[in-house]
Amino acid sequence: MGSFLISLVVVSITGQGVFADTQGGRLASWRIERDIRRFNAVATDNVMNLLAITPGMTILDIGAGTGQFSCEFARRLNGTGKVYATDTNESCIDYMKKEAAGRGLRNLHPVLVRKDGVDPFYGKQKYDLITVFHLSSMSYGDQADYFREMRGLLTEGGRLILILYKIPAPFSSGDIKENFEGFLKELSLEPAESPFSMILKDSTRKRIRNLPGGEPSEDLRSAIVKGLNEVLSDNRFAARFFDGSVFRKEARFTPEERRYADWYLLPYPGISVRNRDTKVESVSGARTFETINKLLILQRYRKYFNQEGMFLSGFTPSIRAVFGKGGYRLEREVVDLIPFEDMIVFSTRSPGKRQIPKASSAP
């Protein structure tokens, strides 16, 4: 199966809202469990080896969250160097401080930073490695000045590494293989209580029943694709799979997909089988459910879909332009090392070079 997108950080909203990740000033247990599961799925040996962490390095982990990666960085430094784990959530900082003390990681330093702009703390030292992982709350297109300033804080030969979620592409008629009739039959046989029945409008269902046979018309194909895309952006669809529902238990994930789906579908407060009408207002929150929904649709009907192009690179032209303007040199764009994600490696720019290199799909 082609690469899938992961979305994680974007569904947490500090405070007391639907997705509040703090309770009484402390991180909610679901937030901690989710971050741990994410780390276990993503922090493979290949990923960690690509970071090339060596003793004595000074590392800055921006948007560290609960510090799963930061703790691993500090552990790999084996008591040397320093890891600065920054976040704008005070509860995350408190949690990381306790984790660092409990694990004996004296080289891990959690730091609370402001939400806007480059915090004054960042300029107090130089960094051999800056990591920005899964920071979907950041609008990269508006951060050219931010990353230009951060570029000046890298040591000679220092690197900045992004891990970006892939983007779920809208369904198109070309995504469905030649057996469109078989796909229509399976859709029409979904029972009313099945979340997959949401794909078919009543009018489309009636047209399928009256189909004379032969190749479905382009109009009918368009109606099916429209239904797929409407479900893609409907958080009520994903909600039917939370809380250990029968629909989740019947999901036919591959072993690789299951590794991620186990925390994709981790129950969130306010999004459950019992409360499926919760609205998701933010763009990033909506993207999360698009990701989950697409994965769920594909695992159900994978034999009818082409596998390529289901998800697009998270390293968009606008993000590429931000780092080009910021003075970075693109060393490597890794699209297959981490399933569902893109890993982008930048270094300090060589003198005289002004253009960022073109993308490469080589892992």
Side-chain angles (χ1 to χ4, degrees), residues 46-252:
N46 285 336
V47 170
M48 300 307 297
N49 290 340
L50 188 59
L51 296 177
I53 295 174
T54 55
M57 291 179 71
T58 299
I59 301 173
L60 173 62
D61 187 11
I62 298 176
T66 58
Q68 307 303 319
F69 279 96
S70 298
C71 286
E72 179 62 14
F73 297 162
R75 186 190 71 80
R76 286 178 177 250
L77 287 174
N78 196 25
T80 69
K82 295 179 180 179
V83 177
Y84 295 101
T86 66
D87 205 278
T88 61
N89 185 334
E90 189 171 1
S91 295
C92 286
I93 299 302
D94 291 341
Y95 179 84
M96 284 191 285
K97 287 179 178 179
K98 292 176 182 177
E99 284 293 293
R103 302 187 192 190
L105 300 173
R106 296 183 179 180
N107 56 349
L108 175 57
H109 307 280
V111 180
L112 182 68
V113 294
R114 69 188 190 190
K115 295 181 179 180
D116 300 318
V118 176
D119 192 277
F121 166 78
Y122 289 132
K124 294 181 178 180
Q125 51 269 308
K126 294 278 190 175
Y127 308 98
D128 301 299
L129 177 66
I130 297 176
T131 59
V132 187
F133 293 173
H134 310 102
L135 201 59
S136 297
S137 59
M138 174 176 283
S139 176
Y140 288 94
D142 299 328
Q143 298 296 330
D145 291 339
Y146 178 93
F147 284 107
R148 183 182 295 109
E149 190 169 345
M150 295 304 296
R151 160 67 178 79
L153 302 181
L154 282 167
T155 59
E156 183 66 28
R159 292 167 298 135
L160 182 147
I161 298 183
L162 305 179
I163 291 183
L164 299 167
Y165 301 129
K166 288 187 179 292
I167 301 171
F171 284 104
S172 69
S173 182
D175 291 333
I176 304 172
K177 296 178 181 178
E178 60 275 6
N179 189 13
F180 205 101
E181 299 92 327
F183 181 48
L184 289 182
K185 183 177 180 179
E186 282 206 33
L187 280 176
S188 63
L189 292 176
E190 291 285 0
E193 65 272 15
S194 167
F196 296 100
S197 67
M198 296 172 61
I199 295 172
L200 293 181
K201 301 286 188 183
D202 290 340
S203 58
T204 308
R205 195 179 298 276
K206 182 178 180 180
R207 291 174 63 183
I208 293 174
R209 286 198 299 266
N210 297 329
L211 195 65
E215 188 72 13
S217 67
E218 284 301 317
D219 189 43
L220 180 55
R221 285 174 175 264
S222 296
I224 298 297
V225 170
K226 181 179 179 181
L228 285 167
N229 284 323
E230 288 181 355
V231 166
L232 198 63
S233 59
D234 192 335
N235 60 284
R236 295 173 301 171
F237 179 76
R240 301 285 289 275
F241 294 85
F242 290 124
D243 290 352
S245 72
V246 63
F247 306 114
R248 177 177 179 172
K249 294 175 183 176
E250 293 176 351
R252 299 187 288 263

Side-chain angles (χ1 to χ4, degrees), residues 272-288:
S272 69
V273 174
R274 295 181 297 278
N275 182 11
R276 292 190 291 271
D277 294 324
T278 304
K279 303 301 180 183
V280 180
E281 302 295 341
S282 69
V283 174
S284 57
R287 174 67 55 76
T288 298

Side-chain angles (χ1 to χ4, degrees), residues 279-348:
K279 303 301 180 183
V280 180
E281 302 295 341
S282 69
V283 174
S284 57
R287 174 67 55 76
T288 298
F289 281 97
E290 289 178 3
T291 298
I292 296 171
N293 290 345
K294 190 149 196 180
L295 177 58
L296 289 166
I297 291 170
L298 291 177
Q299 62 81 28
R300 180 78 163 191
Y301 304 115
R302 73 173 73 251
K303 64 182 178 181
Y304 298 111
F305 285 96
N306 295 312
Q307 298 181 9
E308 300 301 322
M310 287 289 137
F311 293 86
L312 306 176
S313 173
F315 191 35
T316 63
S318 62
I319 295 177
R320 186 184 300 274
V322 163
F323 286 91
K325 293 176 182 176
Y328 294 87
R329 180 170 61 86
L330 177 60
E331 281 193 353
R332 198 172 185 189
E333 180 181 349
V334 188
V335 297
D336 294 318
L337 188 63
I338 316 170
F340 318 124
E341 308 184 46
D342 297 314
M343 190 169 184
I344 316 299
V345 182
F346 296 103
S347 68
T348 50

